[in-house]
Every structure is written in structure tokens, then in C-alpha cells.
Amino acid sequence: MSAILLHPDDTILVVTAPLAIGDTVLIDGAPSVVHSEIGVGHKIARHVLAAGETVIKYGAPIGSMTASAGRAEHVHLHNMKSDYIASHLRDTLERSPS
């Protein structure tokens, strides 16, 4: 299994093995094709997530979608944000003056 559901209320699954374009993952017993490379520990959508929808992990809200994601699509900083703390990207920090 290359992705796990941590809690029955979660809207995402956590990737447990690197996923490549064209790989198939089982989500709620149904196969879904992956359309991008996704690293271990990253999230994929359990179902279609609309912009503004709450992202649930461990049965608790962790943020909201800033753009939609289809089933098995990568969910990360490019399409979601924390509703609790500011997100900091490595390239933003590298460009900051000291």
C-alpha cells in the first residue's frame, strides 16, 4: 500500500512510498491514477477537494484548499494553506535579507 488513511473522517491520505506519474493507488477500495510525482509523507486527496474546502488530517482540520485537487492529486503548499500558522517556503526564506 502506498498511501494510508489515518482517520475515517480525513479528506486526504498520507503517501508511504514514492509515487510516480501513472502509478495506481487504492482509495476507499477504488483504484486511482497518480498524475504527478509525490514524495513520502506528502498528502493526496481522498476525493475531489474544492478551493476553500477544509483539509482534514488525523480527524482534525489542518487547513483549507487554495485551489481544487482531484482524487489522488497532490495536496501541499501549492494548493492548500494552514488556517492556523503562516506558511513559509524555503525559497522565500532564502531571498529574505539577513
Side-chain angles (χ1 to χ4, degrees):
M1 179 170 234
S2 53
I4 58 171
L5 180 66
L6 299 173
H7 187 279
D9 294 338
D10 288 355
T11 57
I12 55 89
L13 287 87
V14 176
V15 173
T16 59
L19 295 172
I21 296 169
D23 284 352
T24 301
V25 293
L26 283 180
I27 300 176
D28 297 329
S32 295
V33 176
V34 174
H35 298 286
S36 64
E37 293 186 8
I38 306 170
V40 172
H42 284 246
K43 300 171 289 300
I44 58 172
R46 185 175 181 189
H47 55 79
V48 174
L49 296 171
E53 189 169 344
T54 300
V55 177
I56 308 291
K57 183 178 179 184
Y58 305 114
I62 63 165
S64 57
M65 297 299 293
T66 57
S68 63
R71 183 180 178 95
E73 283 189 29
H74 193 196
V75 175
H76 198 54
L77 296 175
H78 68 283
N79 60 5
M80 75 160 284
K81 67 177 181 75
S82 171
D83 293 333
Y84 309 102
I85 60 171
S87 295
H88 300 283
L89 301 176
R90 189 172 290 151
D91 63 337
T92 303
L93 295 174
E94 289 171 359
R95 284 189 241 141
S96 298
S98 339

